[in-house]
Coordinates of all heavy atoms in Angstrom, one line a residue:
M126 N 16.4 41.1 28.9 CA 16.8 39.7 29.1 C 18.1 39.5 28.3 O 18.2 39.9 27.2 CB 15.7 38.9 28.5 CG 16.0 37.4 28.5 SD 14.6 36.4 27.8 CE 13.9 35.8 29.2
T127 N 19.0 38.9 29.0 CA 20.3 38.7 28.4 C 20.3 37.3 27.8 O 19.5 36.4 28.2 CB 21.5 38.8 29.4 OG1 21.3 37.9 30.4 CG2 21.5 40.3 30.0
T128 N 21.3 37.0 27.0 CA 21.4 35.7 26.4 C 21.6 34.5 27.4 O 21.3 33.4 27.1 CB 22.5 35.6 25.3 OG1 23.7 36.0 25.9 CG2 22.2 36.5 24.2
D129 N 22.2 34.9 28.5 CA 22.5 33.8 29.5 C 21.2 33.4 30.3 O 21.2 32.4 31.0 CB 23.6 34.2 30.5 CG 23.3 35.4 31.2 OD1 22.4 36.2 30.8 OD2 24.0 35.7 32.2
T130 N 20.1 34.1 30.1 CA 18.9 33.8 30.7 C 17.8 33.2 29.8 O 16.7 32.9 30.2 CB 18.2 35.0 31.5 OG1 18.0 36.0 30.5 CG2 19.2 35.5 32.5
L131 N 18.2 33.1 28.5 CA 17.2 32.5 27.5 C 17.1 31.0 27.8 O 18.1 30.3 28.1 CB 17.7 32.8 26.1 CG 17.7 34.2 25.6 CD1 18.3 34.3 24.2 CD2 16.3 34.7 25.6
P132 N 15.9 30.5 27.5 CA 15.7 29.0 27.7 C 16.5 28.3 26.6 O 16.8 28.8 25.6 CB 14.2 28.8 27.5 CG 13.7 30.0 26.8 CD 14.7 31.1 27.2
E133 N 16.9 27.1 27.0 CA 17.7 26.3 26.1 C 16.9 25.8 24.9 O 15.7 25.4 25.1 CB 18.2 25.0 26.8 CG 19.1 24.2 26.0 CD 19.7 23.0 26.8 OE1 20.0 23.1 28.0 OE2 19.7 21.9 26.2
D134 N 17.4 25.9 23.7 CA 16.7 25.4 22.5 C 16.7 23.9 22.4 O 17.8 23.3 22.1 CB 17.3 26.1 21.3 CG 16.5 25.7 20.0 OD1 15.4 25.1 20.1 OD2 17.0 26.0 18.9
T135 N 15.6 23.3 22.7 CA 15.6 21.8 22.6 C 15.3 21.3 21.3 O 15.2 20.1 21.1 CB 14.5 21.3 23.6 OG1 13.3 21.8 23.3 CG2 14.9 21.6 25.1
T136 N 15.0 22.1 20.3 CA 14.7 21.7 18.9 C 15.9 21.6 18.0 O 15.8 21.1 16.9 CB 13.6 22.6 18.3 OG1 14.2 23.9 18.2 CG2 12.3 22.6 19.1
A137 N 17.0 22.0 18.5 CA 18.2 22.0 17.7 C 18.7 20.5 17.5 O 18.5 19.7 18.4 CB 19.3 22.8 18.3
P138 N 19.2 20.2 16.3 CA 19.7 18.9 16.1 C 20.9 18.5 17.0 O 21.6 19.4 17.5 CB 20.2 18.8 14.7 CG 20.1 20.2 14.2 CD 19.4 21.1 15.2
T139 N 21.0 17.3 17.4 CA 22.1 16.9 18.3 C 23.4 16.9 17.5 O 23.4 16.8 16.3 CB 21.8 15.5 18.8 OG1 21.7 14.6 17.7 CG2 20.5 15.4 19.7
P140 N 24.5 16.9 18.2 CA 25.8 16.9 17.5 C 26.0 15.7 16.6 O 26.7 15.7 15.6 CB 26.8 16.9 18.6 CG 26.1 17.4 19.8 CD 24.7 17.1 19.6
S141 N 25.3 14.6 16.9 CA 25.5 13.4 16.1 C 24.7 13.4 14.8 O 24.7 12.5 14.0 CB 25.1 12.1 16.9 OG 23.8 12.2 17.3
G142 N 23.9 14.5 14.6 CA 23.1 14.6 13.4 C 21.6 14.3 13.7 O 21.2 13.9 14.8
P143 N 20.8 14.5 12.7 CA 19.3 14.3 12.8 C 19.0 12.8 12.9 O 19.8 11.9 12.4 CB 18.7 14.9 11.6 CG 19.8 14.9 10.6 CD 21.1 15.0 11.4
R144 N 17.9 12.5 13.6 CA 17.5 11.0 13.7 C 17.0 10.6 12.3 O 16.5 11.3 11.5 CB 16.4 10.9 14.7 CG 16.8 11.1 16.1 CD 15.7 10.9 17.0 NE 16.1 11.0 18.4 CZ 15.3 10.9 19.4 NH1 14.0 10.6 19.2 NH2 15.7 11.0 20.6
S145 N 17.2 9.3 12.1 CA 16.6 8.7 10.8 C 15.1 8.6 10.9 O 14.6 8.4 12.0 CB 17.3 7.3 10.6 OG 16.9 6.5 11.6
V146 N 14.5 8.7 9.8 CA 13.0 8.6 9.7 C 12.6 7.2 9.6 O 13.1 6.4 8.7 CB 12.5 9.5 8.6 CG1 11.0 9.4 8.5 CG2 12.9 10.9 8.7
R147 N 11.6 6.8 10.4 CA 11.1 5.4 10.3 C 9.6 5.5 10.1 O 8.9 6.4 10.6 CB 11.3 4.6 11.6 CG 12.7 4.4 12.0 CD 12.9 3.5 13.2 NE 11.9 3.8 14.2 CZ 12.0 3.6 15.5 NH1 13.1 3.0 15.9 NH2 11.0 3.8 16.3
A148 N 9.1 4.5 9.3 CA 7.7 4.5 9.0 C 7.0 4.1 10.3 O 7.4 3.2 11.1 CB 7.4 3.5 7.9
V149 N 5.8 4.7 10.5 CA 5.0 4.4 11.7 C 4.0 3.3 11.4 O 3.8 2.4 12.2 CB 4.3 5.6 12.2 CG1 3.4 5.3 13.4 CG2 5.3 6.7 12.6
F150 N 3.4 3.3 10.2 CA 2.4 2.4 9.7 C 2.9 1.6 8.6 O 3.6 2.1 7.7 CB 1.1 3.1 9.3 CG 0.5 3.9 10.4 CD1 0.4 5.2 10.4 CD2 -0.2 3.2 11.5 CE1 -0.2 6.0 11.4 CE2 -0.8 3.9 12.5 CZ -0.8 5.3 12.4
S151 N 2.5 0.3 8.5 CA 2.9 -0.6 7.4 C 1.7 -0.5 6.4 O 0.7 0.1 6.6 CB 3.0 -2.0 7.9 OG 1.7 -2.5 8.2
T152 N 2.0 -1.1 5.2 CA 1.0 -1.1 4.1 C -0.3 -1.8 4.6 O -1.4 -1.4 4.3 CB 1.6 -1.8 2.9 OG1 2.8 -1.1 2.5 CG2 0.6 -1.8 1.8
E153 N -0.1 -2.9 5.4 CA -1.2 -3.6 5.9 C -2.0 -2.8 6.9 O -3.3 -2.9 6.9 CB -0.7 -4.9 6.6 CG -1.8 -5.8 7.2 CD -2.7 -6.3 6.1 OE1 -2.3 -6.5 5.0 OE2 -3.9 -6.7 6.5
D154 N -1.4 -1.9 7.7 CA -2.1 -1.0 8.6 C -3.0 -0.1 7.8 O -4.2 0.1 8.2 CB -1.1 -0.2 9.4 CG -0.3 -1.0 10.3 OD1 -0.7 -2.1 10.7 OD2 0.8 -0.5 10.7
F155 N -2.6 0.4 6.6 CA -3.4 1.3 5.8 C -4.7 0.5 5.3 O -5.8 1.1 5.3 CB -2.7 1.9 4.7 CG -1.7 3.0 5.1 CD1 -0.3 2.8 5.0 CD2 -2.2 4.1 5.7 CE1 0.5 3.7 5.4 CE2 -1.3 5.1 6.1 CZ 0.1 4.9 6.0
R156 N -4.5 -0.7 4.9 CA -5.6 -1.5 4.5 C -6.6 -1.7 5.6 O -7.8 -1.6 5.4 CB -5.1 -2.9 4.0 CG -4.5 -2.8 2.6 CD -4.2 -4.2 2.0 NE -3.1 -4.1 1.2 CZ -2.0 -4.8 1.3 NH1 -1.8 -5.7 2.3 NH2 -1.0 -4.7 0.5
L157 N -6.1 -2.0 6.8 CA -7.0 -2.2 8.0 C -7.7 -0.9 8.3 O -8.9 -0.9 8.6 CB -6.2 -2.7 9.2 CG -5.6 -4.1 9.1 CD1 -4.6 -4.3 10.3 CD2 -6.7 -5.1 9.2
M158 N -7.0 0.2 8.3 CA -7.7 1.5 8.6 C -8.7 1.8 7.5 O -9.8 2.3 7.9 CB -6.6 2.6 8.7 CG -5.8 2.5 9.9 SD -4.8 4.0 10.2 CE -3.4 3.6 9.1
R159 N -8.5 1.5 6.3 CA -9.5 1.8 5.2 C -10.7 0.9 5.5 O -11.8 1.4 5.3 CB -8.9 1.4 3.8 CG -8.1 2.5 3.2 CD -7.7 2.2 1.8 NE -8.7 2.8 1.0 CZ -9.0 2.4 -0.3 NH1 -8.2 1.5 -0.8 NH2 -9.9 3.0 -1.0
A160 N -10.5 -0.4 5.8 CA -11.6 -1.2 6.1 C -12.4 -0.7 7.3 O -13.7 -0.8 7.3 CB -11.1 -2.7 6.4
A161 N -11.7 -0.2 8.3 CA -12.4 0.3 9.5 C -13.2 1.6 9.2 O -14.4 1.7 9.6 CB -11.4 0.6 10.6
V162 N -12.7 2.4 8.3 CA -13.4 3.7 7.9 C -14.6 3.3 7.1 O -15.7 3.9 7.3 CB -12.4 4.6 7.2 CG1 -13.2 5.8 6.5 CG2 -11.3 5.1 8.1
V163 N -14.5 2.4 6.1 CA -15.6 2.1 5.3 C -16.7 1.4 6.2 O -17.9 1.6 6.0 CB -15.2 1.2 4.1 CG1 -15.0 -0.2 4.4 CG2 -16.3 1.3 3.0
H164 N -16.3 0.6 7.1 CA -17.3 0.0 8.0 C -18.0 1.1 8.8 O -19.3 1.0 9.0 CB -16.6 -1.0 9.0 CG -17.5 -1.6 10.0 ND1 -18.4 -2.6 9.6 CD2 -17.7 -1.4 11.3 CE1 -19.1 -3.0 10.7 NE2 -18.7 -2.2 11.7
Y165 N -17.3 2.0 9.3 CA -17.9 3.1 10.1 C -18.8 4.0 9.2 O -19.9 4.4 9.7 CB -16.8 4.0 10.7 CG -17.2 5.1 11.5 CD1 -17.7 4.9 12.8 CD2 -17.2 6.4 11.1 CE1 -18.2 5.9 13.6 CE2 -17.6 7.5 11.8 CZ -18.1 7.2 13.1 OH -18.6 8.3 13.9
L166 N -18.4 4.2 8.0 CA -19.2 5.0 7.1 C -20.6 4.3 6.8 O -21.5 5.0 6.4 CB -18.5 5.3 5.8 CG -17.5 6.4 5.8 CD1 -16.7 6.5 4.5 CD2 -18.3 7.7 5.9
K167 N -20.6 3.0 6.8 CA -21.9 2.3 6.5 C -22.9 2.4 7.6 O -24.1 2.0 7.4 CB -21.6 0.8 6.2 CG -20.9 0.7 4.9 CD -20.6 -0.8 4.5 CE -19.9 -0.9 3.2 NZ -19.6 -2.3 2.9
Q168 N -22.5 2.9 8.8 CA -23.5 3.0 9.9 C -24.5 4.0 9.6 O -24.2 5.1 9.1 CB -22.7 3.4 11.2 CG -21.6 2.4 11.6 CD -22.1 1.0 11.7 OE1 -23.0 0.7 12.4 NE2 -21.4 0.1 11.1
P169 N -25.8 3.7 9.8 CA -26.9 4.7 9.4 C -26.7 6.0 10.0 O -27.0 7.0 9.4 CB -28.1 4.0 9.9 CG -27.8 2.6 10.1 CD -26.3 2.5 10.4
E170 N -26.3 6.1 11.3 CA -26.2 7.4 12.0 C -25.0 8.2 11.4 O -25.0 9.4 11.6 CB -26.1 7.3 13.5 CG -24.9 6.5 13.9 CD -25.0 5.0 14.0 OE1 -26.1 4.5 13.6 OE2 -24.1 4.3 14.5
V171 N -24.1 7.6 10.7 CA -22.9 8.3 10.2 C -23.2 8.7 8.7 O -22.7 9.8 8.3 CB -21.7 7.4 10.3 CG1 -20.5 8.1 9.7 CG2 -21.4 7.1 11.8
Q172 N -23.8 7.8 8.0 CA -24.0 8.0 6.5 C -24.6 9.4 6.2 O -24.2 10.0 5.3 CB -25.0 7.0 5.9 CG -24.3 5.7 5.7 CD -25.3 4.7 5.1 OE1 -26.5 4.8 5.3 NE2 -24.7 3.7 4.4
D173 N -25.6 9.8 7.0 CA -26.2 11.1 6.7 C -25.7 12.3 7.5 O -26.2 13.4 7.5 CB -27.8 11.0 6.9 CG -28.4 9.9 6.0 OD1 -27.9 9.8 4.9 OD2 -29.3 9.2 6.5
G174 N -24.7 12.0 8.3 CA -24.1 13.0 9.2 C -23.2 14.0 8.4 O -22.7 13.7 7.3
P175 N -23.0 15.1 9.0 CA -22.1 16.2 8.3 C -20.7 15.8 8.2 O -20.0 16.2 7.3 CB -22.3 17.4 9.2 CG -22.7 16.9 10.5 CD -23.5 15.6 10.3
E176 N -20.2 14.9 9.1 CA -18.8 14.5 9.0 C -18.5 13.3 8.0 O -17.4 12.9 7.9 CB -18.3 14.1 10.4 CG -18.1 15.3 11.3 CD -17.3 15.1 12.5 OE1 -17.0 13.9 12.8 OE2 -16.8 16.1 13.1
S177 N -19.6 12.8 7.4 CA -19.4 11.6 6.5 C -18.5 12.0 5.3 O -17.7 11.2 4.9 CB -20.7 11.1 6.0 OG -21.4 12.1 5.2
V178 N -18.5 13.2 4.9 CA -17.6 13.7 3.8 C -16.2 13.6 4.3 O -15.3 13.2 3.5 CB -18.0 15.1 3.4 CG1 -17.0 15.7 2.4 CG2 -19.4 15.1 2.8
K179 N -15.9 14.0 5.5 CA -14.5 14.0 6.0 C -14.0 12.5 6.1 O -12.9 12.3 5.7 CB -14.5 14.6 7.4 CG -14.7 16.1 7.4 CD -14.7 16.6 8.8 CE -15.0 18.1 8.8 NZ -14.9 18.6 10.2
Y180 N -14.9 11.6 6.5 CA -14.5 10.2 6.6 C -14.3 9.6 5.2 O -13.4 8.8 4.9 CB -15.5 9.4 7.4 CG -15.3 9.6 8.9 CD1 -16.1 10.4 9.6 CD2 -14.3 9.0 9.6 CE1 -16.0 10.6 10.9 CE2 -14.1 9.2 10.9 CZ -14.9 10.0 11.6 OH -14.8 10.2 12.9
S181 N -15.1 10.1 4.3 CA -14.9 9.6 2.9 C -13.6 10.1 2.3 O -12.9 9.3 1.6 CB -16.1 10.1 2.0 OG -15.9 9.7 0.7
N182 N -13.3 11.3 2.6 CA -12.0 11.9 2.1 C -10.8 11.1 2.8 O -9.8 10.8 2.1 CB -11.9 13.3 2.4 CG -12.8 14.2 1.6 OD1 -13.2 13.7 0.5 ND2 -13.2 15.3 2.0
L183 N -10.9 10.8 4.1 CA -9.9 10.0 4.8 C -9.7 8.7 4.1 O -8.6 8.2 3.9 CB -10.3 9.9 6.2 CG -9.4 9.0 7.1 CD1 -8.0 9.5 7.1 CD2 -10.0 8.8 8.5
Y184 N -10.8 8.0 3.8 CA -10.8 6.7 3.1 C -10.0 6.8 1.8 O -9.1 6.0 1.5 CB -12.2 6.2 2.8 CG -12.3 5.0 2.0 CD1 -12.1 3.7 2.6 CD2 -12.5 5.0 0.6 CE1 -12.2 2.6 1.9 CE2 -12.6 3.9 -0.1 CZ -12.4 2.6 0.5 OH -12.5 1.5 -0.2
H185 N -10.2 7.8 1.0 CA -9.5 8.0 -0.3 C -8.0 8.3 0.0 O -7.2 7.8 -0.8 CB -10.2 9.0 -1.1 CG -11.5 8.5 -1.7 ND1 -11.6 7.5 -2.6 CD2 -12.8 8.9 -1.3 CE1 -12.9 7.3 -2.8 NE2 -13.6 8.1 -2.1
R186 N -7.7 9.1 1.0 CA -6.3 9.4 1.3 C -5.6 8.2 1.7 O -4.4 8.0 1.3 CB -6.2 10.5 2.3 CG -6.5 11.9 1.8 CD -6.1 13.0 2.8 NE -6.7 12.9 4.1 CZ -7.8 13.3 4.5 NH1 -8.6 14.0 3.7 NH2 -8.2 13.2 5.8
L187 N -6.2 7.4 2.5 CA -5.6 6.1 3.0 C -5.3 5.2 1.8 O -4.3 4.5 1.8 CB -6.5 5.4 4.0 CG -6.5 6.1 5.4 CD1 -7.6 5.4 6.3 CD2 -5.2 6.0 6.1
G188 N -6.2 5.2 0.8 CA -6.0 4.4 -0.4 C -4.8 4.8 -1.2 O -4.1 4.0 -1.8
R189 N -4.5 6.1 -1.2 CA -3.3 6.6 -1.9 C -2.0 6.2 -1.2 O -1.0 6.0 -1.8 CB -3.3 8.1 -2.1 CG -4.4 8.6 -3.1 CD -4.2 10.0 -3.4 NE -4.3 10.8 -2.1 CZ -5.1 11.9 -2.0 NH1 -5.9 12.2 -2.9 NH2 -5.1 12.5 -0.8
L190 N -2.1 6.1 0.1 CA -0.9 5.8 0.9 C -0.6 4.3 1.0 O 0.6 3.9 1.1 CB -1.1 6.3 2.4 CG -1.2 7.8 2.5 CD1 -1.5 8.1 3.9 CD2 0.1 8.5 2.1
G191 N -1.6 3.5 0.9 CA -1.4 2.0 1.1 C -1.4 1.3 -0.1 O -1.4 0.8 -1.0

């Protein structure tokens, strides 16, 4: 395979430079997501389930971000 047949690299930065980083979620979004997670965790079928630890960890991570 020669270099003229290689696929174009689409991950390279554009000549104008890298794009600026923008926040996707606001502080209020994190509060809402925490409230939704805690509401979900209180459901009887979730409380005793194996994934409840994962949701609990998510709740605490969201608290650190918001």
Side-chain angles (χ1 to χ4, degrees):
M126 178 181 257
T127 63
T128 57
D129 59 346
T130 60
L131 291 175
E133 183 178 322
D134 184 10
T135 57
T136 60
T139 60
S141 62
R144 292 184 177 178
S145 62
V146 178
R147 295 186 322 204
V149 176
F150 296 110
S151 70
T152 304
E153 182 63 24
D154 293 336
F155 288 112
R156 286 190 207 118
L157 289 171
M158 286 188 280
R159 277 187 94 199
V162 169
V163 79
H164 177 76
Y165 182 73
L166 276 170
K167 289 182 179 178
Q168 303 304 310
E170 62 273 7
V171 177
Q172 280 181 337
D173 300 325
E176 290 196 345
S177 64
V178 172
K179 293 179 182 180
Y180 283 101
S181 179
N182 291 337
L183 174 61
Y184 174 80
H185 290 292
R186 285 193 306 272
L187 287 170
R189 287 191 302 234
L190 296 172

